Amino acid sequence: MNWPDSPIGGRLGDGRHALATERPETIDALRHAVIDHVAQGQAIYPQGGGTALDYGGTPRTPGVAIDTRSLDRVIDYPAADMTITVEAGITLSALRTILAEKRQRLLIDAPHPDRATLGGIYATNTTGSRRFGAGRPRDQIIGVSFVTADGALVKGGGRVVKNVAGYDFPKLLTGSLGTLGVIAQLTQKVRPMPEASALVWVPFTSVEGLVPAFDRLNTSATRPIAIDLFNGSGARHTGEARGLPAGDWVLVVGFEDNAASVAWQVDRLMIELGRTNIVLREGADAESLWSALTEFQAAEVGPVSIVANLRPSSVAAFVRDFDNDRWAVQAHAGNGIVRGHALGSPSLETLVPEIDRLRAAAAVDGGSLMLTRCPVEWKERLLVWGTPRPDWALAERIKRSLDPKGVMNPGRFVATI
């Protein structure tokens, strides 16, 4: 079976097109679509809002795109129980609007919230600056339903957090990139909306000055929900349009709580850092900056974007290794997540040794580095998922268990899946 050379079937990613696109309006219709196309020997490529089509490896087998955006209903919302069950095609923006009516929210951030679907956010394990205080997406999910390659609807977890037997499907499906099944429904924890929100923007002239600042944050009486670090290029990209000063480095610290607590924590942080060049953003101005922090990861300012995972204590030293003229960098410093966008139009031959060097530096710390975006013809040379690790074999065993025919999003995850 050959790849179609026309866009009639819809885009799969990396410039390839699907044989067809299905947009089921019910979960039963989703099941039948999967059954029918697998029976025809076609692969299944789940899609949501299309915000991460180029993420991961190259689609390996011709197949059909399964568009989940019509699966966008609220199934159950017992607000007093602080949970909500929704279909996977609902957008993050729509879900936020529903929750706001009860003064509640999800502790999840993702770029392009008007397009990003909840299923897509979980399939790609998308996270933002609030992860430091709010936790990971997998910490928010307590139940999931998904359709397997044979059309079975599998449910895991539920509204009771301890409802786990065998595979922990809510956590297993998080970050699986649709390689284990098509996420159909999710049950989430929700939280009260905070009374106040503030972000503190602190420019620094050297990375050495950041080390004592991080030490003070580690022993601070404050409880930030976010701690981000930008190099000069990253700070200009994020703050320039908002009138924020960009030093060689910028530390951004976020707080959310009741108004009195936020005010006290901001005042306390200013005392602890002992700096006079602090800029404070509150209310609507804070919301605009929160959005900018999240959208940075989706910026397309050059051909390649990377994300590294390492120990939080190693973030400052790792970020210092980036050339400020060639990379825009944001680090979720409290979590050890570093994002970088190559600037301008560097060649593949320039980027290969640069990324190899950064990947080696991350590995020294026991960390890893992968690419979230790059030209398709560069993916093999740049090793999208990095060098093989022992846990890849475990991922492959799980894949064979749940998708023995290998038809669910083949080629998109680590090299063996």
Side-chain angles (χ1 to χ4, degrees):
M1 186 181 299
N2 297 320
W3 291 99
D5 57 7
S6 72
I8 294 174
R11 181 169 173 259
L12 290 180
D14 296 333
R16 294 190 170 180
H17 300 291
L19 299 169
T21 296
E22 297 277 4
R23 189 168 179 172
E25 297 185 355
T26 66
I27 292 176
D28 196 48
L30 169 60
R31 292 180 54 250
H32 286 292
V34 170
I35 291 169
D36 291 345
H37 288 283
V38 170
Q40 298 174 47
Q42 299 169 359
I44 302 297
Y45 293 97
Q47 294 183 3
T51 61
L53 284 181
D54 295 325
Y55 182 38
T58 303
R60 191 167 57 213
T61 308
V64 60
I66 301 292
D67 185 335
T68 64
R69 287 176 296 173
S70 291
L71 299 172
D72 60 355
R73 288 170 282 272
V74 176
I75 305 302
D76 189 27
Y77 180 22
D81 292 342
M82 308 291 284
T83 66
I84 188 169
T85 301
V86 297
E87 292 181 328
I90 193 169
T91 64
L92 181 58
S93 179
L95 189 49
R96 285 173 172 171
T97 298
I98 292 166
L99 293 172
E101 295 176 1
K102 300 290 186 180
R103 296 291 301 166
Q104 294 180 339
R105 65 170 180 168
L106 288 178
L107 292 178
I108 289 176
D109 290 317
H112 309 305
D114 57 328
R115 293 170 50 207
T117 62
L118 197 63
I121 291 168
Y122 272 92
T124 55
N125 195 29
T126 301
T127 187
S129 301
R130 287 184 175 93
R131 172 172 169 167
F132 177 65
R136 305 161 296 178
R138 63 182 297 173
D139 299 321
Q140 318 304 327
I141 184 173
I142 56 177
V144 67
S145 299
F146 66 102
V147 174
T148 65
D150 60 3
L153 180 64
V154 177
K155 299 180 181 180
R159 282 172 53 190
V160 179
V161 177
K162 293 182 180 179
N163 184 10
V164 176
Y167 287 126
D168 187 344
F169 283 122
K171 292 180 172 59
L172 186 64
L173 269 289
T174 302
S176 65
L177 276 183
T179 58
L180 303 179
V182 185
I183 298 175
Q185 289 184 5
L186 304 105
T187 299
Q188 293 263 255
K189 302 175 188 177
V190 299
R191 293 291 181 265
M193 199 171 287
E195 184 178 296
S197 178
L199 283 159
V200 177
W201 179 278
V202 192
F204 285 80
T205 56
S206 71
V207 73
E208 287 74 22
L210 286 163
V211 175
F214 284 139
D215 289 341
R216 292 188 186 99
L217 283 168
N218 286 333
T219 59
S220 174
T222 66
R223 292 294 178 266
I225 194 170
I227 302 175
D228 277 10
L229 170 64
F230 287 96
N231 72 348
S233 294
R236 284 190 294 275
H237 176 85
T238 303
E240 196 168 52
R242 292 163 180 81
L244 292 164
D248 294 331
W249 304 90
V250 169
L251 180 65
V252 185
V253 184
F255 300 100
E256 292 182 331
D257 206 332
N258 63 63
S261 174
V262 168
W264 181 87
Q265 291 185 80
V266 168
D267 289 344
R268 183 68 183 178
L269 181 69
M270 291 182 175
I271 293 171
E272 291 175 346
L273 292 181
R275 303 184 66 85
T276 59
N277 60 340
I278 289 174
V279 179
L280 176 63
R281 289 287 187 262
E282 299 177 284
D285 290 337
E287 286 306 310
S288 174
L289 183 52
W290 277 118
S291 178
L293 297 181
T294 301
E295 293 296 330
F296 179 90
Q297 64 184 282
E300 296 186 9
V301 293
V304 166
S305 299
I306 66 169
V307 61
N309 292 275
L310 41 139
R311 294 192 187 103
S313 59
S314 301
V315 165
F318 184 76
V319 170
R320 184 174 52 195
D321 285 343
F322 286 85
D323 185 331
N324 185 58
D325 293 326
R326 296 168 60 185
W327 291 89
V329 178
Q330 174 194 38
H332 303 317
N335 304 112
I337 300 171
V338 179
R339 306 182 190 278
H341 302 300
L343 299 172
S345 303
S347 68
L348 174 61
E349 298 308 318
T350 299
L351 283 170
V352 167
E354 182 80 354
I355 290 176
D356 284 348
R357 179 181 64 81
L358 292 168
R359 182 170 280 141
V364 167
D365 189 52
S368 61
L369 182 149
M370 67 179 189
L371 277 71
T372 55
R373 186 177 57 86
C374 79
V376 61
E377 61 272 16
W378 293 6
K379 287 193 173 186
E380 186 174 352
R381 285 282 305 279
L382 293 177
L383 300 177
V384 172
W385 295 108
T387 53
R389 303 191 309 266
D391 59 330
W392 287 17
L394 177 60
E396 186 175 13
R397 287 172 57 192
I398 295 171
K399 168 73 168 176
R400 286 199 302 265
S401 174
L402 294 176
D403 179 23
K405 296 180 181 178
V407 296
M408 301 302 299
N409 224 0
R412 298 301 297 280
F413 207 6
V414 294
T416 56
I417 295 179

